[in-house]
Amino acid sequence: MDKLKSAGKSFEISKWEVWEAYRQVKANKGAPGVDKVTMEDFETDLQGNLYRIWNRMSAGSYFPPPVKAVEIPKPHGGGTRVLGVPTISDRIAQTVAAKRLEAKVEPIFHPDSYGYRPNRSALDAVAACRQRCWKSDWVIDLDVEKYFDSVPWDLMVKAVEAHCTDPWVVLYVKRWLAAPLQHADGTLQTRDRGTPQGSAISPVLANLFMHYAFDAWMVREYPTVKFERYADDAVLHCVTNRQANRLLVVIRDRMVEVGLRLHPAKTKVVYCKDGKRRLDHEHTDFTFLGYTFRARAARGRNGETFTSFLPAMSKDAWMKVSGQIRRWRLHLRTGHSIGELAREINPIVRGWMQYYGAFYRTALHPLLERVNDYLMRWLRRKYRRLRAFLKARACWRRITRQYPRLFAQWAWCVGF
């Protein structure tokens, strides 16, 4: 595929970039946008559709369609947010621009910025936060209110222009920012700020804006203060209560200066209370990326128990997972085989174990045991000869011995 600017085209965009963007979008398995075109529909004329994207982007004549507005629950519980779902074609076009922009700005990002970045994850942020909470007594738990709805466009575009030498990226970023949201009833919502969460270009734009609005500013003004930031959530570590409160006032003013606002209910100063730090304070716990940090029982290398400040699965995340387990209604699905149930739920349960079981995994055990309880009820309901609990338990033990990896949770909780 041609990597040079084609004759008669305004911008240097290779067909190979469009192809690679298509492969990435396909791997992400996104939902259709306002045109209701699925990936299968798009691939019926794959070559023609990809050519049209490349041709229009290269000529400067690409205009994005409206973005489909979908209300979804937040990843770790605690309400809902509006997700913007672009069309398949628009998602590919955004991915082309996002990869170009990311190559320019990724090297400048702060090492403690973890959201939507290669080789960094939410668990890395939680791990760094845990270590620093052991060393610093005070924490500022920051949450930017309605970040993706509030980002000012002029500052966003200014940041893109400062780093990207490709004029077409700036051109299309402006058009994507201005694309309207289309709601379920068909009404179009025009916007004058913000970027729809869920679009392919939004993560790198969000990180670039917060790099200047917060990360670089913190390094310049308060170089000794450690922090972890994941998108619009951040945790800062302070030595004293006075330092934390003074810094919070300054950060609040900084956010107003860049067109944002700290969430009044979710932003707070927290004391990392544990067995050795015993002062009284209004807030002694906080939640970050689905984990609640607070004083918890721990066991030392010598086997002795003590109280440490540790993260574990938050209550909101626990309730969300519990609700999903209940909605499966496994005990009523007697028309399925045990292998079919395992194939359906294992990827989801394994994801819970990998994320929420990374720290203080015992908090997740009751949920895994609940899955086992539902499976036991399924077993007794499906097979008449196993209605008696003792017979069902004997069957259960035989299955778990013969097929210990049949269900993901059996690696930690065999049950019965």
Side-chain angles (χ1 to χ4, degrees), residues 161-398:
E161 290 174 335
H163 290 280
C164 195
T165 56
D166 300 307
W168 62 269
V169 173
V170 178
L171 172 67
Y172 292 132
V173 163
K174 292 179 181 178
R175 292 179 183 176
W176 281 314
L177 289 174
L181 279 173
Q182 180 172 313
H183 293 275
D185 59 1
T187 58
L188 294 179
Q189 176 188 342
T190 57
R191 299 174 298 113
D192 59 1
R193 58 179 50 238
T195 174
Q197 188 172 3
S199 64
I201 195 74
S202 288
V204 65
L205 292 179
N207 271 334
L208 180 58
F209 184 87
M210 287 300 291
H211 171 76
Y212 285 107
F214 182 77
D215 301 351
W217 177 80
M218 281 292 300
V219 171
R220 183 175 65 251
E221 300 294 333
Y222 302 94
T224 61
V225 177
K226 302 294 184 181
F227 66 88
E228 303 84 34
R229 182 181 64 79
Y230 193 97
D232 55 339
D233 293 331
V235 174
L236 292 82
H237 303 270
C238 300
V239 178
T240 65
N241 186 17
R242 182 182 180 186
Q243 180 193 23
N245 281 286
R246 293 180 64 180
L247 183 56
L248 179 56
V249 172
V250 176
I251 293 174
R252 185 177 285 114
D253 293 340
R254 171 62 178 175
M255 291 297 103
V256 172
E257 182 182 333
V258 296
L260 300 176
R261 179 173 180 263
L262 294 182
H263 197 293
K266 296 181 180 180
T267 300
K268 58 187 178 181
V269 173
V270 179
Y271 178 56
C272 302
K273 189 173 184 177
D274 58 18
K276 294 182 179 179
R277 298 175 287 194
R278 301 181 180 181
L279 297 179
D280 291 326
H281 191 261
E282 179 184 4
H283 302 293
T284 56
D285 66 84
F286 67 94
T287 298
F288 182 51
L289 300 176
Y291 278 88
T292 295
F293 288 71
R294 64 171 178 83
R296 301 180 190 275
R299 188 182 299 274
R301 295 180 180 178
N302 57 4
E304 295 183 0
T305 58
F306 63 100
T307 302
S308 182
F309 197 78
L310 295 171
M313 186 179 188
S314 70
K315 181 179 178 180
D316 285 340
W318 202 95
M319 294 298 292
K320 179 183 176 183
V321 171
S322 177
Q324 183 166 357
I325 294 172
R326 185 170 56 253
R327 288 191 298 272
W328 281 343
R329 300 177 68 84
L330 294 176
H331 62 299
L332 300 180
R333 300 169 67 175
T334 54
H336 294 70
S337 69
I338 193 169
E340 290 172 339
L341 294 180
R343 283 190 294 271
E344 180 177 341
I345 72 172
N346 273 350
I348 301 172
V349 174
R350 194 173 290 114
W352 295 336
M353 294 169 67
Q354 290 172 350
Y355 189 82
Y356 295 114
F359 303 97
Y360 217 85
R361 69 165 61 172
T362 54
L364 183 60
H365 281 190
L367 293 173
L368 301 182
E369 291 288 3
R370 182 177 296 180
V371 177
N372 286 338
D373 290 342
Y374 275 110
L375 290 174
M376 171 62 85
R377 292 171 62 184
W378 170 87
L379 191 68
R380 299 177 67 188
R381 182 183 288 265
K382 183 176 179 68
Y383 300 103
R384 185 181 298 273
R385 68 180 184 278
L386 300 178
R387 295 289 170 85
F389 176 76
L390 293 179
K391 291 184 178 180
R393 186 175 63 179
C395 179
W396 178 276
R397 291 178 175 176
R398 184 171 63 253

